[in-house]
């Protein structure tokens, strides 16, 4: 089925470890986004991309890096995980600044 | 920067009662979108409003976009248990409000 796929679905990291979250979409969308969701904070934009090879910072970019080497993939990296990065991470994609299609999320715990 | 405020944060209603959530932006929006997130799920797109004063309906849901394109509302008539979840507004796919969590009392 077409859509947005996030891997992994769950992960536990130790403080200081690194990891990469993968987002893949098969809808040929130009725009892709990474959000984090914390209780009572809604969805906060981390980074976004408006096309292959381009990325931009969102509201809360510190501690994260991203890459969009291929149009269908958007990677979110944590170089040195901190407990404050414990959250649920959602990836989304869209044709333009319009209907966003979300993945099912990655639940990350940093201990 | 652009901010999108959403009220109320929580709402408890009796099944069958109406429910409204409001979204206000600090700047004029080119469009506004509404999403629903069920508990434990991911946000699902409901609708997009683009025109000033636009009103759209989806069964029991009515969406409005303000004349100045800085505010919007979602109204649910005669709530059902299937309406439980958090409703988010978003300006242009980028900035989300904090959402309104709707809880239905049986």
């Amino acid at each position: 089925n077409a859509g947005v796929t996030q891997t992994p679905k769950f992960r536990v990291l130790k403080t200081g470890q690194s990891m990469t979250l993968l987002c893949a979409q098969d809808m040929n969308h130009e725009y892709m986004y990474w959000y984090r969701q914390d209780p009572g904070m809604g969805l906060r934009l981390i980074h976004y991309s408006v096309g292959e090879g381009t990325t931009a910072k969102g509201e809360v970019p510190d501690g994260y890096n991203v890459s969009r080497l291929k149009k269908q993939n958007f990677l979110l990296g944590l170089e040195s995980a901190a407990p404050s990065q414990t959250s649920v991470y959602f990836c989304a994609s869209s044709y333009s600044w319009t209907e966003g299609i979300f993945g099912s999320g990655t639940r990350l715990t940093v201990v | 920067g652009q901010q999108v405020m959403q009220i109320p944060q929580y709402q408890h209603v009796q099944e069958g009662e109406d429910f409204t959530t409001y979204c206000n932006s600090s700047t004029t929006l080119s469009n506004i979108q509404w999403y629903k997130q069920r508990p434990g799920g991911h946000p699902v797109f409901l609708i997009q409003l683009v025109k000033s004063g636009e009103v759209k309906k989806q069964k029991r849901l009515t969406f409005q976009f303000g004349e100045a394109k800085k505010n919007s509302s979602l109204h649910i008539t005669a709530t059902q248990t299937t309406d439980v979840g958090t409703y988010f507004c978003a300006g242009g796919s980028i900035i989300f409000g904090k959402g309104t969590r709707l809880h239905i009392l049986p």
Side-chain angles (χ1 to χ4, degrees):
Chain A
N1 290 336
V4 177
T5 303
Q6 290 183 236
T7 53
K9 295 190 184 308
F10 303 94
R11 185 71 185 271
V12 178
L13 283 179
K14 292 183 178 180
T15 297
Q17 285 185 321
S18 63
M19 79 164 294
T20 300
L21 282 66
L22 172 63
C23 177
Q25 54 94 4
D26 57 4
M27 297 169 284
N28 202 35
H29 285 168
E30 289 290 340
Y31 293 43
M32 297 188 74
Y33 318 83
W34 275 107
Y35 293 90
R36 61 177 289 174
Q37 186 172 41
D38 304 294
M41 298 298 292
L43 290 157
R44 291 185 292 171
L45 182 66
I46 305 172
H47 287 278
Y48 65 98
S49 168
V50 298
E52 182 178 317
T54 71
T55 63
K57 295 180 179 180
E59 299 172 79
V60 289
D62 294 343
Y64 306 94
N65 57 74
V66 288
S67 64
R68 183 98 180 269
L69 299 179
K70 293 183 178 181
K71 186 177 184 178
Q72 63 267 35
N73 297 334
F74 196 27
L75 306 179
L76 178 70
L78 286 74
E79 291 187 349
S80 180
S84 60
Q85 294 178 305
T86 293
S87 188
V88 180
Y89 291 86
F90 286 104
C91 175
S93 71
S94 65
Y95 279 115
S96 179
W97 304 120
T98 181
E99 176 184 349
I101 306 299
F102 279 77
S104 58
T106 295
R107 188 173 296 275
L108 175 66
T109 302
V110 182
V111 298
Chain B
Q2 182 182 62
Q3 290 187 350
V4 175
M5 308 297 292
Q6 204 170 340
I7 56 170
Q9 189 173 2
Y10 301 97
Q11 185 82 55
H12 294 77
V13 300
Q14 291 287 144
E15 187 175 6
E17 290 183 340
D18 292 356
F19 159 78
T20 304
T21 174
Y22 300 90
C23 183
N24 296 291
S25 170
S26 56
T27 59
T28 301
L29 300 170
S30 58
N31 66 65
I32 194 159
Q33 299 153 26
W34 285 92
Y35 293 79
K36 177 183 179 181
Q37 184 178 23
R38 294 181 184 275
H42 60 275
V44 175
F45 175 82
L46 293 176
I47 207 161
Q48 175 174 280
L49 305 172
V50 178
K51 299 178 182 178
S52 170
E54 189 170 15
V55 178
K56 287 189 176 181
K57 292 188 176 183
Q58 289 182 347
K59 297 184 180 178
R60 295 178 295 104
L61 279 62
T62 301
F63 305 84
Q64 294 189 342
F65 202 8
E67 293 291 339
K69 300 183 73 173
K70 296 179 73 172
N71 57 73
S72 181
S73 65
L74 159 58
H75 180 81
I76 302 178
T77 303
T79 54
Q80 300 175 358
T81 55
T82 54
D83 296 325
V84 166
T86 301
Y87 293 85
F88 293 98
C89 62
S93 294
I94 287 286
I95 305 299
F96 277 72
K98 292 186 178 181
T100 297
R101 183 177 296 179
L102 174 62
H103 182 68
I104 308 291
L105 303 171

